[in-house]
């Protein structure tokens, strides 16, 4: 579904009790009938370089650090020579790229990041990735020197990928520099599950082809000519133990026509003479390179945002990637970046209409221009699902368009935190790929109230519990999630339990959530958003559960029977009678009392009995819940506890239960 971005009242909201009260919530439409939607607080923010007004929703700004000296021009905060660019993370450090080099921050205390070191190394664009003790840096401008020198008129030219040893983050040392014909606008670190001795770097070069006088073998011949330097990517192989031996080992022709063999087999001309807005195309959606490639080695898959096309790539052999599908879109000016969902079933492509320097979030811009395009991946093919555009207009003084983001690892949901340049940071829930929606944001006013000055968030990424933003003109930001109607405390806690040794947005790692109270409660909270019936008072007589029935502070005087395919969610409730469920979708009892036996058989979704009291036997039989273990934890069972034939077997999250009778079968050790 195409979302509009001018009337924020049309955004759906989750209405419910406060997360701290842990009450059930329900999904309801935005504003009540006859009510006026409140103006979005992002509209009309006061301008300023380091003192602009800001607006924030369901986030906390934990810290801000101005750009350090040597990485900013105070007379012109938007100076392209000092743009703060992309981020990478390793251990307790954040590495922030800059067109003039990079900076390293200690983020062991996220609310108090400290600058550890700065490396002056001009050359733009300065995108970074981390692998172990190696830091990779993209260089595409002709001012780049092999030795990182600052005098562009002297020294050996360098355009490509630098490799630094950052085992001592206070003193990074360049150990290799691999030249490429079009430099490196971006790059992607790709691991091989079968080869830990080497790591690969896919280079996306979009600059003009270098003359052969600066690098032998480079040429700008047409596609029909001899080995042109366009219509390809470069693959660098880096021996981890000897990074100084890094070298290009392949130049895959990912855009070739499989029938004719023509290397320029994708979009060679814009789909129309002008952009759908009526303005000239900018940039032009003509595919002779990839702007960005996001790899997901665990799935053997990558998604390429390649100027005029979005492509899927088989990377099961990292040195020899192969295109497996491609799409185009008449609304897209420049396929810019990609993010794959954790389960590998969706991909979000961004469109950098205007090249990132223009205002493309005006109230006259249609929501499908300069937006995200969300595709489902079905049988390794891309199937369009919807667009998502920042749902609030920005001024003519603010460069704004879709840019870089990453997944927030909330179990059971697909959430992207994303930078929109001077549109700020927006969190998009695309769990339902056809109906994406915004669930949180942070924004500052324009840098200048009268003129366009380059600025805003280049990237916004989640790393080990917080959101980190690289602000082009202003510096480095840290934000934290706040529990809200859209995201509960348990969901946030479950996301924070995911800890990674390193993170590069273009090198996705599969996330598996270890069983925990937070993960279990997050699933409960998510099911609670789907309640079809909610009981929060007294119910006299038997209760037959159909749909998704939610008990919140309820008293049920009678037995509860859960029909096949139905779900029962009980929180802080009392049931005077037995609970029986056969072939249910889900059964969750949290902090509740059942004055009778509990029998749960054949559940296909999830089952949890947590901090509850059962006056009678508890029996779990033949529940088949996939990768989600049934949970019986920190509960009191005044009778026997028996479990048989459950796949997987029930667990207690290391919180023993108090059982009056015998424990048997799969639950023998849960007492």
């Amino acid at each position: 579904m195409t979302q509009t971005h001018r009337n924020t009242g049309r955004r759906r909201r989750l209405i419910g009790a406060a997360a701290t009260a842990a009450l059930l919530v329900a999904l309801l439409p935005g504003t009540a009938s006859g009510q006026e939607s409140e103006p979005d607080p992002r509209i009309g923010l006061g301008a300023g370089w380091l003192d602009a007004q800001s607006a924030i929703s369901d986030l906390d700004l934990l810290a801000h650090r101005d750009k350090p000296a040597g990485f900013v021009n105070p007379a012109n905060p938007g100076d392209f020579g000092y743009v703060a660019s992309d981020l990478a993370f390793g251990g307790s450090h954040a590495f922030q790229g800059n067109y003039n080099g990079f900076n390293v921050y200690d983020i062991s205390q996220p609310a108090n990041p400290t600058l550890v070191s700065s490396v002056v190394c001009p050359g733009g664009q300065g995108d970074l990735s981390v692998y172990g003790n190696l830091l990779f840096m993209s260089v595409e401008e002709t001012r780049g020197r092999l030795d990182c020198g600052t005098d562009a008129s002297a020294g050996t030219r360098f355009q490509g990928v630098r490799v630094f040893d950052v085992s001592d983050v206070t003193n990074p040392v360049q150990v290799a520099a691999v030249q490429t014909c079009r430099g490196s606008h971006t790059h992607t670190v790709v691991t091989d599950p079968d080869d830990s001795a080497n790591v690969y770097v896919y280079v996306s070069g979009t600059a003009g082809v270098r003359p052969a006088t600066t690098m032998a073998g480079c040429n700008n011949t047409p596609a029909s000519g001899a080995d042109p330097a366009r219509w390809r990517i470069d693959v660098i192989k880096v021996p981890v133990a000897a990074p100084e031996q890094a070298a290009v080992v392949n130049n895959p022709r990912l855009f070739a026509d499989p029938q004719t063999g023509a290397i320029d087999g994708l979009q060679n001309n814009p789909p129309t003479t002008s952009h759908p807005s009526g303005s000239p195309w900018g940039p032009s959606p003509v595919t002779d390179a990839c702007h960005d490639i996001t790899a997901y080695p665990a799935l053997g898959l990558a998604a390429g945002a390649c100027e005029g096309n979005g492509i899927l790539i088989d990377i099961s052999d990292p040195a020899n990637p192969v295109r497996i599908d491609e799409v185009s879109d008449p609304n897209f000016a420049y396929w810019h970046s990609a993010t794959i969902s954790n389960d590998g079933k969706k991909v979000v492509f961004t469109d950098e209409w205007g090249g990132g320097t223009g205002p493309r979030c005006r109230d006259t811009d249609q929501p499908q221009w300069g937006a995200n395009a969300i595709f489902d991946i079905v049988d390794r093919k891309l199937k369009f699902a919807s667009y998502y555009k920042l749902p609030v207009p920005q001024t003519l003084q603010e460069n704004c368009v879709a840019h870089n983001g990453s997944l927030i690892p909330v179990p059971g949901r697909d959430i992207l935190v994303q930078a929109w340049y001077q549109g700020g940071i927006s969190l998009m829930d695309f769990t339902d790929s056809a109906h994406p929606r915004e669930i949180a944001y942070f924004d500052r006013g324009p840098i200048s109230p009268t003129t366009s000055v380059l600025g805003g968030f280049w990237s916004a990424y989640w790393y080990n519990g917080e959101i980190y933003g690289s602000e082009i003109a202003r510096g480095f930001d840290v934000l934290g999630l706040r529990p809200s109607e859209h995201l509960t405390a348990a969901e946030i806690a479950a996301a924070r339990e995911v800890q990674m040794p390193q993170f590069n947005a273009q090198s996705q790692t599969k996330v598996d959530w270890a069983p925990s109270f937070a993960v279990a409660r997050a699933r409960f909270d998510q099911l609670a958003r789907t309640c079809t019936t909610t009981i929060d008072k007294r119910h006299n007589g038997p209760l037959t559960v159909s749909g998704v029935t939610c008990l919140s502070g309820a008293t049920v005087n009678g037995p509860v029977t859960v029909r096949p395919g139905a779900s029962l969610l009980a929180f802080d409730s009392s049931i005077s009678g037995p609970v029986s469920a056969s072939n249910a979708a889900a059964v969750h009892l949290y902090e509740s009392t059942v004055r009778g036996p509990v029998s749960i058989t054949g559940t296909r979704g999830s089952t949890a009995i947590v901090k509850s009291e059962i006056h009678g036997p508890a029996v779990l039989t033949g529940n088949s819940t996939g990768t989600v273990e049934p949970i019986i934890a920190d509960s009191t069972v005044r009778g026997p506890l028996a479990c048989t034939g459950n796949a997987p077997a029930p667990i207690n999250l290391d919180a023993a239960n108090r059982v009056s009778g015998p424990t048997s079968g799969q639950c023998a050790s849960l007492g």
Side-chain angles (χ1 to χ4, degrees), residues 210-525:
R210 300 169 62 176
T213 54
T214 65
M215 182 179 175
C218 297
N219 72 76
N220 196 27
T221 59
S224 58
D227 195 25
R230 294 188 291 154
W231 300 286
R232 73 187 195 193
I233 67 168
D234 302 307
V235 177
I236 299 172
K237 183 178 182 180
V238 185
V240 177
E244 67 279 2
Q245 297 176 16
V248 174
V249 295
N250 195 9
N251 306 112
R253 299 290 186 181
L254 291 179
F255 320 126
D257 185 316
Q259 275 73 46
T260 67
I263 64 173
D264 58 343
L266 295 184
Q267 185 159 287
N268 289 313
N269 295 287
T272 54
T273 55
S274 62
H275 186 269
S277 64
S279 61
W281 287 99
S284 181
V286 173
T287 304
D288 71 354
C290 282
H291 179 279
D292 210 325
I293 296 172
T294 296
Y296 200 152
L299 300 181
L301 190 69
C306 303
E307 302 181 319
N309 295 90
I311 67 175
L312 273 185
I313 310 166
D314 184 327
I315 59 169
S316 53
D317 179 358
N320 298 283
V322 177
R323 187 181 90 239
I324 54 178
D325 195 27
E326 67 282 333
V327 290
S328 60
D329 188 323
N331 290 304
F332 260 46
Y334 198 72
W335 296 71
H336 177 271
S337 65
T339 302
I340 303 170
S341 64
N342 186 62
D343 62 7
K345 295 180 179 180
K346 305 167 192 168
V347 59
V348 178
F349 287 105
T350 68
D351 174 16
E352 197 183 41
W353 175 36
T357 61
R360 295 296 186 268
C361 301
R362 301 159 293 190
D363 59 5
T364 55
D365 293 327
Q366 294 298 309
Q368 65 269 31
W369 303 340
N372 298 334
I374 303 168
F375 287 80
D376 294 323
I377 302 175
V378 182
D379 296 328
R380 290 164 71 89
K381 298 291 184 180
L382 293 166
K383 181 180 178 182
F384 177 78
S386 66
Y387 294 110
Y388 172 86
K389 183 72 177 282
L390 185 72
V392 61
Q394 303 294 306
T395 68
L396 295 176
Q397 288 73 47
E398 295 173 287
N399 56 300
C400 176
V401 76
H403 213 233
N404 293 353
S406 73
L407 299 178
I408 296 178
V410 176
R413 297 177 69 180
D414 295 312
I415 297 174
L416 182 79
V417 56
Q418 184 178 9
W420 290 79
Y421 289 113
Q422 287 197 71
I425 292 173
S426 176
L427 270 65
M428 176 188 72
D429 183 335
F430 66 105
T431 308
D432 179 352
S433 59
H435 301 93
R437 59 196 179 94
E438 183 178 73
I439 61 172
Y441 62 76
F442 173 67
D443 188 21
R444 293 187 176 99
I447 295 174
S448 168
T450 56
T451 60
S452 177
V453 177
L454 182 69
F457 286 98
W458 178 286
S459 50
Y461 299 142
W462 172 272
Y463 179 64
N464 290 352
E466 311 298 347
I467 294 167
Y468 297 88
S470 177
E471 220 284 3
I472 290 171
R474 293 169 170 130
F476 181 73
D477 289 283
V478 187
L479 297 100
L481 290 174
R482 175 184 292 180
S484 71
E485 57 193 340
H486 306 294
L487 203 58
T488 68
E491 289 177 301
I492 296 171
R496 286 180 171 150
E497 288 178 352
V498 176
Q499 297 289 302
M500 297 183 176
Q502 62 190 31
F503 176 76
N504 306 299
Q506 290 76 34
S507 306
Q508 291 187 220
T509 300
K510 183 173 175 54
V511 174
D512 293 304
W513 290 267
S516 71
F517 280 104
V519 172
R521 183 52 194 266
R523 293 193 182 100
F524 177 96
D525 293 343

Side-chain angles (χ1 to χ4, degrees), residues 642-653:
C643 303
T644 58
N646 301 287
I651 59 174
N652 67 2
L653 300 175

Side-chain angles (χ1 to χ4, degrees), residues 123-124 139-145 152 156-159 207-208 210-211:
V139 181
E140 73 166 347
E141 296 179 350
T142 56
R143 65 177 170 135
R145 279 175 43 169
T156 302
R157 297 298 91 201
F158 178 75
Q159 291 172 271
R210 300 169 62 176

